[in-house]
Amino acid sequence: MFSDADAAALYDLIYPWDAARYPSDAFYDDLVMAADAVLDVGCGTGSMLHHARERGHSGRLAGIDPDRAALERARRRTDVEWYEGTAADISWDREFDLATMASNAFQCLVGDDELRASLAAIRTALRDGGRFAFETRHPQARAWETWNPGDSADVNAAEIVDASGRVLRMWHEVESVAGDVVTFTETTAEPDGAVLRVDRASLRFLDVPALNAFLAEAGLAVEGQYGDWFRGPVTGDSRVIVTIARRT
Ligand SMILES: C[S@@+](CC[C@H](N)C(=O)[O-])C[C@H]1O[C@@H](n2cnc3c(N)ncnc32)[C@H](O)[C@@H]1O
């Protein structure tokens, strides 16, 4: 009733890559355009790398993601390399100047083992001195507390019109908070509430000390860590932890 391809198309409609509107997108664009070879981990539908090519990036651009339907959309551009796989599956050795995990993709790395394997693989893919840039929602902001049906702060709580003119409703619902792992559902429905699709996901909310311990263990030295997209410090009010770490 609502296929994986439909869901991937809807993602692009709800979250367009737009540096003029979203400072997060501008932050990544600047890093990507300044790097010769870029690996986007958890690239999803590929919009960040599409945008880089459109802006004239002439170096190597590669994206990897385990979601086949999202990758199908990414593959609409053939002048970027696309790979199906997780971060832990990465097997390049010293090929990239920059690795990214944009739009909180990093939070999909939930278990300690997966996190360690992913960071190790990303580090290996980087050239000496190469950088890994990513963000993760700061647990202190407790973003998941607004992921509830009818919550006006839930970005998808409103009605959405998809590319074919179909009217949809989307909402989130938290199922559990276990330590720093939040499990929630995303429901896509008809306007009358008839459910078309329910997706379940878990995200990890690491705080700064825990995050930096994983990075250090992986041989990634924190070069910059910010509490907003304008490179301000992480404070008691920050909603995000933006990190640039360098392969040591
Ligand atoms: C919120 S989306 C972000 C997509 C894209 N980076 C963007 O900016 O639009 C998170 C992505 O992480 C991917 N993902 C989930 N688990 C992953 C893993 N273990 N390794 C790499 N990517 C993963 C998902 O398939 C999804 O496409």
Side-chain angles (χ1 to χ4, degrees):
M1 290 224 287
F2 200 76
S3 68
D4 291 353
D6 291 336
L10 193 59
Y11 179 90
D12 276 343
L13 199 71
I14 298 171
Y15 306 107
W17 193 267
D18 185 347
R21 270 169 71 189
Y22 305 117
S24 52
D25 296 358
F27 177 90
Y28 283 109
D29 279 356
D30 288 349
L31 291 170
V32 169
M33 294 308 287
D36 285 338
V38 181
L39 174 61
D40 188 21
V41 183
C43 64
T45 56
S47 50
M48 184 184 80
L49 296 182
H50 286 192
H51 190 69
R53 207 50 109 206
E54 279 154 24
R55 287 184 68 201
H57 193 290
S58 57
R60 182 176 181 194
L61 298 175
I64 182 165
D65 198 286
D67 182 331
R68 191 168 289 179
L71 267 187
E72 277 310 306
R73 289 185 69 76
R75 289 198 166 106
R76 290 179 301 170
R77 259 203 105 98
T78 54
D79 54 2
V80 174
E81 299 166 40
W82 303 111
Y83 302 92
E84 189 179 328
T86 66
D89 293 333
I90 291 170
S91 58
W92 292 283
D93 191 357
R94 294 173 204 258
E95 296 196 27
F96 296 93
D97 305 301
L98 176 72
T100 53
M101 286 191 93
S103 308
N104 298 298
F106 181 82
Q107 290 191 255
C108 297
L109 309 175
V110 171
D112 283 3
D113 290 347
E114 187 185 14
L115 196 46
R116 288 195 176 99
S118 301
L119 290 174
I122 289 167
R123 179 187 183 276
T124 304
L126 289 171
R127 294 178 179 146
D128 291 336
R131 298 194 293 173
F132 174 39
F134 65 98
E135 90 272 28
T136 181
R137 295 179 188 87
H138 201 311
Q140 70 187 1
R142 305 175 73 81
W144 61 88
E145 290 184 350
T146 63
W147 298 347
N148 289 301
D151 194 318
S152 60
D154 185 341
V155 287
N156 297 325
E159 270 187 3
I160 298 156
V161 182
D162 80 2
S164 64
R166 184 176 186 184
V167 181
L168 300 163
R169 291 192 72 81
M170 284 183 80
W171 64 86
H172 295 110
E173 194 159 7
V174 172
E175 282 188 350
S176 66
V177 181
D180 55 13
V181 177
V182 176
T183 299
F184 65 102
T185 55
E186 180 179 78
T187 300
T188 309
E190 302 272 15
D192 65 3
V195 172
L196 297 169
R197 178 184 177 101
V198 179
D199 294 292
R200 178 175 285 100
S202 293
L203 296 178
R204 187 156 183 188
F205 286 72
L206 289 173
D207 61 16
V208 170
L211 173 61
N212 289 353
F214 276 110
L215 291 170
E217 186 189 323
L220 291 161
V222 174
E223 184 181 272
Q225 200 153 48
Y226 314 109
D228 60 42
W229 295 103
F230 305 99
R231 302 192 182 225
V234 180
T235 70
D237 295 325
S238 302
R239 300 188 63 80
V240 69
I241 307 164
V242 183
T243 302
I244 299 179
R246 192 176 282 280
R247 175 177 175 149
T248 53

